[in-house]
Amino acid sequence: MAAAVTYEPIKTCKQSGARLGRVHTPHGVIETPAFMPVGTQATVKTMSPEELKTMDAHIILSNTYHLFIRPGHDIVKAAGGLHKFMNWDRPILTDSGGFQVFSLSNMRKITEEGVQFKSHLNGDKLFLSPEKAMEIQNALGSDIMMAFDECPPFPAEYEYVKKSLERTTRWAERCLQSHSRPNDQGLFAIIQGGMHEDLRRLSAEQLTSMDFPGYAIGGLSVGEPKHLMYEVLDYTTPLMPANKPRYLMGVGSPDALIEGSIRGIDMFDCVLPTRIARNGTCMTSEGRLVIRNAKHATDFGPLDPKCTCYTCKNYSRAYIRHLIKADETFGIRLTTIHNLHFLLQLMRDVRGAIQEDRLLDFRDEFFAAYGLNDN
Ligand SMILES: CC(C)(C)OC(=O)NCc1c[nH]c2nc(N)[nH]c(=O)c12
């Protein structure tokens, strides 16, 4: 049966305190710090598993809430689980659905028991709870499962955030109890607490006392200024066990991936690269490039001269601009391949810089070329 999910520390960067590691899972190893492409509905939009392997993605993310409402976790289970269903034999992390319910569903009622809400697809009345979220994730068979939490809105009242994190802790306890895998294999808890140091500390202490295999920081990248996110990381990551994976949820942009790695984060996920690709915005070593811009109409060079991805090796800005303007599907496949490769390559470079004890120098070099205020 499935092995546990364990963290193997490899090295700490002498210059920055960032760390190199490996997360071992039943479906393989993840070199960290790592970026996880998001495949919300059992596909990283427009990408085949082979293309994801070509760009060396080690793990992808999928969503409990989305697969629960469509096609239904019973169908995925009948297919042999999510790996088989989507033909991906490397690690999968599933988010627990709590966050999606709070961000997607308009009508919802939160009680101690769980969350009543309406499907954003057809308005059906639905209910998610810690037990239901674990039932769904165990049916999907993901390697890493997230506890069912509440991500409070930003900004939020101190008292609301406090009550919310305490319920999130009680929900995490219930996830542990209802997890069908022995010794909570692969179940990560999510530290909440908003932008308040004492509440982040309270959430971390309550959750680390339950000894989960891994810990995430939720409730960030919710609209707060970047410096505030980094401040929360400065005092929250040291509260997380050094011998367990640290996952910063919903992050992020190139600068946030570097700054988060410097603060000891091991895993990141964000829809940014795939989402902006669909409107033709590309991340390049000189900053963002909006391919629809007329100046690219006769530019027969690659999106990024420094990039080695399939798109940059074979197609020009002029051609990609044409496809995007013509709303040709191949166009967003090419921009998606490039953006995902760009972030996966960035993480390879971050790991290389940690290996050479020079991550702060790397950050300065990257920002000088990319532009400080990317988001
Ligand atoms: C607005 C975006 C999505 C960029 O970030 C966040 O909301 N960041 C927080 C976040 C992302 N995914 C989560 N999953 C869960 N269970 N809990 C969370 O708090 C989060």
Side-chain angles (χ1 to χ4, degrees):
M1 187 43 195
V5 170
T6 57
Y7 177 72
E8 175 196 358
I10 294 176
K11 170 190 166 46
T12 300
C13 173
K14 291 188 179 65
Q15 188 184 62
S16 68
R19 59 197 210 154
L20 269 191
R22 289 196 190 98
V23 177
H24 295 268
T25 81
H27 280 87
V29 181
I30 304 140
E31 301 282 344
T32 60
F35 175 75
M36 300 184 280
V38 174
T40 298
Q41 302 186 104
T43 164
V44 177
K45 288 181 172 47
T46 79
M47 292 293 97
S48 70
E50 290 70 25
E51 286 164 330
L52 291 169
K53 286 185 178 176
T54 300
M55 54 181 85
D56 203 21
H58 291 177
I59 176 171
I60 61 159
L61 191 129
S62 202
N63 270 308
T64 300
Y65 164 74
H66 291 83
L67 296 174
F68 166 53
I69 62 172
R70 186 175 54 188
H73 56 293
D74 46 343
I75 289 178
V76 179
K77 183 170 184 170
L82 188 52
H83 289 86
K84 199 140 174 46
F85 191 51
M86 66 183 290
N87 186 32
W88 174 256
D89 61 4
R90 291 184 175 186
I92 297 176
L93 181 150
T94 44
D95 196 355
S96 52
F99 160 72
Q100 288 70 29
V101 169
F102 297 115
S103 63
L104 279 178
S105 173
N106 45 15
M107 195 294 276
R108 63 177 184 271
K109 185 167 176 290
I110 309 174
T111 65
E112 184 64 24
E113 185 52 25
V115 186
Q116 289 169 15
F117 60 96
K118 277 186 180 170
S119 159
H120 74 287
L121 295 181
N122 58 17
D124 284 359
K125 268 193 177 308
L126 297 167
F127 177 74
L128 267 182
S129 64
E131 292 74 16
K132 188 70 183 172
M134 294 314 295
E135 175 202 329
I136 296 165
Q137 292 183 88
N138 280 303
L140 300 176
S142 47
D143 301 277
I144 299 175
M145 303 179 188
M146 300 312 293
F148 188 72
D149 66 324
E150 179 189 0
C151 169
F154 173 78
E157 286 296 309
Y158 180 90
E159 274 315 308
Y160 183 87
V161 175
K162 187 169 191 296
K163 287 203 177 352
S164 168
L165 83 84
E166 290 177 333
R167 180 168 50 214
T168 286
T169 297
R170 294 192 295 275
W171 282 355
E173 175 82 47
R174 284 167 50 189
C175 287
L176 267 186
Q177 281 153 12
S178 62
H179 190 25
S180 71
R181 291 237 188 99
N183 63 44
D184 62 61
Q185 278 172 0
L187 177 58
F188 284 19
I190 304 172
I191 295 168
Q192 292 288 357
M195 312 299 153
H196 308 284
E197 182 166 2
D198 59 334
L199 297 184
R200 285 282 172 185
R201 183 175 300 280
L202 179 63
S203 179
E205 280 163 1
Q206 291 178 350
L207 294 172
T208 54
S209 69
M210 289 189 257
D211 195 21
F212 284 86
Y215 290 88
I217 298 176
L220 288 181
S221 186
V222 287
E224 76 281 7
K226 282 256 171 84
H227 70 83
L228 186 49
M229 175 165 81
Y230 299 151
E231 224 176 277
V232 175
L233 291 181
D234 283 336
Y235 58 69
T236 302
T237 42
L239 305 173
M240 302 165 82
N243 64 336
K244 304 276 178 72
R246 296 177 181 142
Y247 165 24
L248 176 54
M249 305 186 87
V251 173
S253 56
D255 52 327
L257 293 176
I258 297 172
E259 295 288 1
S261 298
I262 287 169
R263 290 164 174 79
I265 297 295
D266 305 307
M267 297 161 69
F268 303 86
D269 87 271
C270 192
V271 294
L272 187 71
T274 38
R275 180 169 295 171
I276 64 173
R278 291 197 290 284
N279 61 42
T281 302
C282 303
M283 300 168 169
T284 77
S285 44
E286 277 87 45
R288 283 195 181 191
L289 181 151
V290 177
I291 200 65
R292 285 176 179 275
N293 191 312
K295 69 183 176 187
H296 302 305
T298 56
D299 182 337
F300 302 107
L303 288 175
D304 183 345
K306 295 197 181 76
C307 181
T308 60
C309 81
Y310 168 71
T311 300
C312 291
K313 282 193 296 197
N314 295 289
Y315 304 94
S316 69
R317 291 179 177 184
Y319 176 66
I320 297 166
R321 178 176 182 275
H322 158 63
L323 294 182
I324 293 291
K325 289 192 58 86
D327 201 21
E328 279 292 344
T329 307
F330 189 49
I332 60 174
R333 275 182 32 76
L334 290 174
T335 54
T336 299
I337 287 168
H338 171 77
N339 281 353
L340 284 174
H341 173 95
F342 182 86
L343 284 191
L344 292 166
Q345 183 59 45
L346 173 61
M347 298 318 284
R348 283 189 283 271
D349 295 342
V350 163
R351 295 197 293 269
I354 294 171
Q355 185 62 45
E356 295 161 10
D357 296 311
R358 59 180 304 278
L359 186 54
L360 298 183
D361 297 340
F362 174 79
R363 172 183 63 183
D364 297 346
E365 291 152 15
F366 182 87
F367 282 4
Y370 193 83
L372 276 169
N373 306 313
D374 171 72
N375 51 37

Coordinates of all heavy atoms in Angstrom, one line a residue, residues 25-28 42 49 58-60 62 67 76-77 79-94 137 139-145 181:
T25 N 6.9 10.6 -2.2 CA 5.5 10.3 -2.2 C 5.3 8.9 -2.9 O 6.3 8.4 -3.6 CB 4.7 11.3 -3.0 OG1 4.8 11.0 -4.4 CG2 5.2 12.7 -2.8
P26 N 4.1 8.3 -2.8 CA 3.9 7.0 -3.4 C 4.1 7.0 -4.9 O 4.4 6.0 -5.5 CB 2.5 6.7 -3.0 CG 2.2 7.5 -1.8 CD 3.0 8.7 -1.9
H27 N 4.0 8.2 -5.6 CA 4.1 8.3 -7.0 C 5.4 8.9 -7.4 O 5.5 9.4 -8.6 CB 2.9 9.0 -7.7 CG 1.7 8.0 -7.8 ND1 0.8 7.9 -6.8 CD2 1.4 7.2 -8.8 CE1 -0.1 7.0 -7.1 NE2 0.2 6.6 -8.4
G28 N 6.4 9.1 -6.5 CA 7.6 9.6 -7.0 C 8.1 10.8 -6.1 O 7.5 11.2 -5.1
A42 N -8.8 18.0 -13.4 CA -8.1 16.8 -13.8 C -7.4 17.0 -15.2 O -7.2 16.1 -15.9 CB -9.0 15.6 -13.9
P49 N -0.1 15.0 -20.5 CA 0.9 14.5 -19.5 C 2.3 14.5 -20.1 O 3.3 14.8 -19.4 CB 0.4 13.2 -19.1 CG -1.1 13.2 -19.4 CD -1.2 14.1 -20.6
H58 N 7.2 17.8 -11.7 CA 7.3 16.6 -10.8 C 5.9 16.3 -10.2 O 5.7 15.2 -9.8 CB 8.3 16.9 -9.7 CG 9.7 16.9 -10.2 ND1 10.8 17.2 -9.4 CD2 10.2 16.8 -11.5 CE1 11.9 17.2 -10.1 NE2 11.5 17.0 -11.4
I59 N 5.1 17.3 -10.0 CA 3.8 17.1 -9.3 C 2.8 18.1 -9.9 O 3.2 19.2 -10.2 CB 4.0 17.3 -7.8 CG1 2.6 17.2 -7.0 CG2 4.7 18.6 -7.5 CD1 2.8 17.2 -5.5
I60 N 1.5 17.7 -9.9 CA 0.5 18.7 -10.3 C -0.6 18.7 -9.3 O -0.7 17.8 -8.4 CB -0.1 18.3 -11.7 CG1 -0.8 17.0 -11.6 CG2 0.9 18.4 -12.8 CD1 -1.9 16.8 -12.7
S62 N -4.7 19.3 -8.2 CA -6.1 19.2 -8.7 C -7.1 19.6 -7.5 O -6.6 19.8 -6.4 CB -6.4 17.8 -9.2 OG -7.5 17.9 -10.1
L67 N -13.9 18.4 -8.7 CA -14.1 17.0 -9.2 C -15.2 16.4 -8.5 O -15.9 15.4 -8.9 CB -12.8 16.2 -9.0 CG -11.6 16.7 -9.8 CD1 -10.3 16.0 -9.5 CD2 -11.9 16.5 -11.3
V76 N -14.4 9.0 -10.8 CA -13.0 8.9 -10.8 C -12.5 7.7 -10.1 O -11.6 7.0 -10.5 CB -12.4 10.2 -10.2 CG1 -10.9 10.2 -10.1 CG2 -12.9 11.5 -10.9
K77 N -13.2 7.4 -9.0 CA -12.8 6.2 -8.2 C -13.0 4.9 -9.1 O -12.1 4.0 -9.2 CB -13.6 6.0 -6.9 CG -13.2 4.8 -6.1 CD -13.8 4.9 -4.7 CE -13.2 3.7 -3.9 NZ -13.6 3.8 -2.4
A79 N -12.8 4.7 -12.2 CA -11.8 4.7 -13.2 C -10.5 4.2 -12.7 O -9.5 4.0 -13.5 CB -11.6 6.1 -13.8
G80 N -10.4 4.0 -11.4 CA -9.1 3.5 -10.8 C -8.4 4.6 -10.1 O -7.2 4.5 -9.8
G81 N -9.1 5.8 -9.9 CA -8.4 6.9 -9.2 C -8.0 8.0 -10.2 O -7.9 7.7 -11.4
L82 N -7.6 9.1 -9.6 CA -7.3 10.3 -10.5 C -6.0 10.1 -11.4 O -6.0 10.5 -12.5 CB -7.1 11.5 -9.6 CG -6.9 12.9 -10.2 CD1 -8.1 13.1 -11.2 CD2 -6.9 14.0 -9.2
H83 N -5.0 9.4 -10.8 CA -3.8 9.1 -11.7 C -4.2 8.4 -13.0 O -3.8 8.8 -14.1 CB -2.8 8.3 -10.9 CG -2.1 9.0 -9.8 ND1 -2.6 9.1 -8.5 CD2 -1.0 9.7 -9.7 CE1 -1.8 9.8 -7.7 NE2 -0.8 10.2 -8.4
K84 N -5.0 7.3 -12.8 CA -5.4 6.5 -13.9 C -6.3 7.3 -14.8 O -6.2 7.4 -16.1 CB -6.1 5.3 -13.4 CG -6.1 4.1 -14.4 CD -5.9 2.8 -13.8 CE -6.1 1.7 -14.8 NZ -5.5 2.0 -16.1
F85 N -7.3 8.0 -14.2 CA -8.3 8.8 -15.0 C -7.6 9.8 -15.9 O -8.1 9.9 -17.0 CB -9.2 9.5 -13.9 CG -10.5 10.1 -14.5 CD1 -11.4 9.4 -15.3 CD2 -10.8 11.4 -14.2 CE1 -12.5 10.0 -15.8 CE2 -12.0 12.0 -14.6 CZ -12.8 11.3 -15.4
M86 N -6.6 10.5 -15.4 CA -6.0 11.5 -16.2 C -4.6 11.1 -16.8 O -3.9 11.9 -17.4 CB -5.9 12.8 -15.4 CG -4.9 12.8 -14.3 SD -4.9 14.3 -13.3 CE -4.1 15.4 -14.5
N87 N -4.3 9.8 -16.6 CA -3.1 9.3 -17.2 C -1.8 10.0 -16.8 O -1.0 10.4 -17.6 CB -3.2 9.3 -18.8 CG -2.0 8.7 -19.5 OD1 -1.5 7.7 -18.9 ND2 -1.6 9.2 -20.6
W88 N -1.8 10.3 -15.4 CA -0.6 11.0 -14.9 C 0.0 10.1 -13.8 O -0.7 9.9 -12.8 CB -1.0 12.4 -14.3 CG 0.1 13.1 -13.6 CD1 0.2 13.2 -12.2 CD2 1.2 13.9 -14.1 NE1 1.3 14.0 -11.9 CE2 1.9 14.4 -13.1 CE3 1.6 14.1 -15.5 CZ2 3.0 15.2 -13.3 CZ3 2.7 14.9 -15.6 CH2 3.4 15.4 -14.6
D89 N 1.2 9.6 -14.0 CA 1.7 8.6 -13.0 C 2.7 9.2 -12.0 O 3.4 8.5 -11.3 CB 2.3 7.4 -13.7 CG 3.5 7.8 -14.6 OD1 3.9 9.0 -14.6 OD2 4.1 7.0 -15.3
R90 N 2.8 10.5 -12.0 CA 3.7 11.2 -11.0 C 2.8 11.7 -9.9 O 1.6 11.5 -9.9 CB 4.4 12.3 -11.7 CG 5.5 11.9 -12.7 CD 6.3 13.0 -13.3 NE 7.4 12.5 -14.2 CZ 8.3 13.3 -14.7 NH1 8.2 14.6 -14.5 NH2 9.2 12.8 -15.5
P91 N 3.4 12.4 -8.9 CA 2.5 12.8 -7.7 C 1.4 13.8 -8.1 O 1.6 14.6 -9.0 CB 3.6 13.5 -6.8 CG 4.9 12.8 -7.1 CD 4.8 12.5 -8.6
I92 N 0.3 13.7 -7.3 CA -0.8 14.6 -7.4 C -1.1 15.1 -6.0 O -1.1 14.3 -5.1 CB -2.1 14.0 -8.0 CG1 -1.8 13.5 -9.4 CG2 -3.2 14.9 -8.0 CD1 -3.0 12.7 -10.0
L93 N -1.3 16.4 -5.9 CA -1.8 17.0 -4.7 C -3.2 17.5 -4.9 O -3.4 18.2 -5.9 CB -0.9 18.2 -4.3 CG -1.2 19.0 -3.0 CD1 0.1 19.5 -2.3 CD2 -2.2 20.1 -3.2
T94 N -4.1 17.2 -4.0 CA -5.5 17.8 -4.2 C -5.8 18.8 -3.1 O -5.5 18.5 -1.9 CB -6.6 16.6 -4.1 OG1 -6.3 15.8 -3.0 CG2 -6.6 15.9 -5.4
Q137 N -11.2 13.0 -1.4 CA -9.8 12.9 -1.7 C -9.3 11.4 -1.6 O -8.4 11.0 -2.4 CB -9.0 13.8 -0.8 CG -9.2 15.3 -1.0 CD -8.4 16.2 -0.2 OE1 -7.2 16.5 -0.5 NE2 -8.9 16.6 0.9
A139 N -11.1 8.9 -2.4 CA -11.6 8.3 -3.6 C -10.7 8.7 -4.8 O -10.4 7.9 -5.7 CB -13.0 8.7 -3.9
L140 N -10.2 9.9 -4.8 CA -9.4 10.4 -5.9 C -8.0 9.7 -5.9 O -7.4 9.5 -6.8 CB -9.2 11.9 -5.9 CG -10.5 12.8 -6.0 CD1 -10.2 14.3 -5.8 CD2 -11.2 12.5 -7.3
G141 N -7.6 9.4 -4.6 CA -6.3 8.7 -4.5 C -5.1 9.6 -4.7 O -4.0 9.1 -5.1
S142 N -5.2 10.9 -4.3 CA -4.0 11.7 -4.5 C -3.0 11.4 -3.5 O -3.2 10.8 -2.5 CB -4.5 13.2 -4.3 OG -5.3 13.3 -3.2
D143 N -1.7 11.8 -3.8 CA -0.6 11.5 -2.9 C -0.6 12.4 -1.7 O -0.2 12.0 -0.6 CB 0.7 11.6 -3.7 CG 0.7 10.7 -4.9 OD1 1.1 9.5 -4.7 OD2 0.4 11.1 -6.0
I144 N -0.9 13.7 -2.0 CA -1.0 14.7 -0.9 C -2.4 15.2 -0.9 O -2.9 15.7 -1.9 CB 0.1 15.8 -1.1 CG1 1.5 15.2 -1.1 CG2 0.0 16.8 0.0 CD1 2.6 16.2 -1.4
M145 N -3.0 15.2 0.3 CA -4.4 15.7 0.5 C -4.3 16.9 1.5 O -3.6 16.8 2.4 CB -5.2 14.6 1.1 CG -5.2 13.3 0.2 SD -6.2 12.0 0.9 CE -5.7 10.7 -0.2
R181 N -6.2 6.5 5.2 CA -4.9 5.9 5.1 C -4.3 5.8 6.6 O -4.6 6.6 7.4 CB -4.0 6.9 4.4 CG -4.3 7.0 2.9 CD -3.1 6.6 2.0 NE -3.4 6.9 0.6 CZ -3.1 8.0 0.0 NH1 -2.3 8.9 0.6 NH2 -3.4 8.3 -1.2

